[in-house]
Amino acid sequence: MKIIDAHVHIYPEFLKKERDRIAAREPWFELLTSSKVQKWGTAEELVAAMDEAGITQSRATTFAFRDQGLCREMNDYAVEAAKRFPGRIVPLAVVSPLRPGAAGEAERAFDAGAAGLGELFPDGQGFDLQDAAALRGICGVCLERGKPLMIHTAEQAGHQYAGKGAYGAREAAAFCRNFPMVKVTFAHFGGGLWAFEAMPEMRLLLANASYDTAAWPWLYEPQIIDAIFAAGAGDKIMFGSDWPILKFPRYEKLIGETRLSEEDKEKLLGGNAARIFGGGREPAMPTA
């Protein structure tokens, strides 16, 4: 089975070394990197973890800063990592939507090889997911270039935790209403948006949406995946680990406790991602 991890993070070494200096002017970065669950991981460490877990390919993002210059540095790192590990790492670019030059940086990153944008943070970067005017620039570039977008969302019930944020199903649905032609993945189960796929009118509204499982072991019991397939959204949910803070064995255990057929497990673990994103290059697997 070809396993595709649709949501991982990689970080250049300087981020860890200069963490305090950067955190002083980036509140969301300060919040997340102060969390007890924070872990750092380079491209090399990601590929080693993929080899250990039997993961074929990962769609890798970095960190979405408010500062456009930092976003540019992150994009350079992600694209360069993909060139060093062709087919294994598929790079996603980050931009700061409200800062000057966001659309231009998206264009530059796409020209360099980025496969899409994300994971963008509405709370951390200060943009409103429901504000069509604020997002028109980057969404226009994504639409013109045929590139997908990944956006952080979270369940708006339950306990609070670092990085949860205030954007969930309602706001994600508004994005789809404003930008129906932009292919979008809502991270962390879309904050529960998948449940509305059972409503005929919402299924139409959410035609451009997909969801990933990032942070599943901390949020939900195994039955959530059975519910997603039962709601008719089984072809829109993708395995995403949120590596390095979570690793594949945690997900493997949860998946083993679901009622999914082998065919549906294959969809979850790679088939859906390959179809939604169009596959991509076959990876250059390591040799002994």
Side-chain angles (χ1 to χ4, degrees):
M1 182 188 301
K2 178 179 178 180
I3 301 176
I4 299 173
D5 192 335
H7 184 145
V8 308
H9 295 266
I10 54 175
Y11 307 105
E13 292 280 5
F14 84 83
L15 272 194
K16 184 176 180 180
K17 294 177 181 177
E18 300 184 31
R19 183 263 171 202
D20 292 348
R21 180 182 64 82
I22 295 170
R25 56 192 174 94
E26 290 280 347
W28 198 251
F29 183 69
E30 158 69 20
L31 176 69
L32 292 185
T33 58
S34 295
S35 169
K36 64 181 181 181
V37 305
Q38 168 64 18
K39 293 186 174 110
W40 303 95
T42 63
E44 290 78 11
E45 289 168 331
L46 168 63
V47 172
M50 290 167 63
D51 291 343
E52 182 178 354
I55 294 172
T56 308
Q57 188 177 83
S58 290
R59 296 179 68 82
T61 183
T62 49
F63 193 94
F65 290 99
R66 289 195 179 205
D67 183 275
Q68 208 74 269
L70 281 171
C71 287
R72 183 184 181 98
E73 291 187 70
M74 297 301 100
N75 297 339
D76 289 345
Y77 178 74
V79 168
E80 189 273 335
K83 290 176 180 176
R84 286 188 286 119
F85 300 102
R88 306 297 310 281
I89 293 178
V90 176
L92 299 179
V94 290
V95 298
S96 189
L98 301 185
R99 298 294 179 92
E105 176 56 22
E107 288 272 18
R108 187 192 75 88
F110 293 157
D111 288 341
L117 294 182
E119 176 189 13
L120 302 187
F121 301 130
D123 298 88
Q125 296 182 293
F127 67 89
D128 186 345
L129 194 52
Q130 303 172 94
D131 187 347
L135 297 174
R136 189 167 290 125
I138 63 169
C139 286
V141 172
C142 286
L143 184 59
E144 181 181 344
R145 300 292 291 269
K147 303 292 187 180
L149 178 63
M150 178 167 68
I151 300 173
H152 175 87
T153 50
E155 73 296 343
Q156 294 306 297
H159 67 290
Q160 291 297 316
Y161 50 86
K164 180 173 182 172
Y167 289 84
R170 182 189 297 273
E171 294 79 16
F175 177 91
C176 290
R177 185 177 295 109
N178 289 331
F179 299 103
M181 301 302 291
V182 176
K183 187 183 293 185
V184 58
T185 298
F186 296 112
H188 314 293
F189 297 90
L193 184 60
W194 61 267
F196 296 94
E197 297 272 358
M199 297 172 63
E201 78 247 39
M202 289 300 292
R203 189 178 305 121
L204 289 173
L205 178 68
L206 302 175
N208 60 325
S210 57
Y211 317 97
D212 72 39
T213 67
W216 177 13
W218 290 334
L219 298 173
Y220 301 105
E221 295 191 351
Q223 294 87 345
I224 189 172
I225 294 296
D226 298 319
I228 290 171
F229 275 81
D235 60 344
K236 302 176 78 173
I237 184 71
M238 298 175 287
F239 163 62
S241 68
D242 226 350
W243 187 94
I245 63 173
L246 282 163
K247 298 181 180 179
F248 181 62
R250 296 282 297 274
Y251 292 86
E252 192 172 31
K253 182 177 184 298
L254 288 171
I255 293 168
E257 297 176 24
T258 68
R259 297 181 180 179
L260 295 185
S261 66
E262 290 304 310
E263 180 182 358
D264 287 342
K265 288 179 183 177
E266 186 171 350
K267 288 182 181 179
L268 173 66
L269 287 171
N272 286 343
R275 176 180 49 79
I276 290 169
F277 298 125
R281 292 180 58 183
E282 280 300 310
M285 300 298 291
T287 56

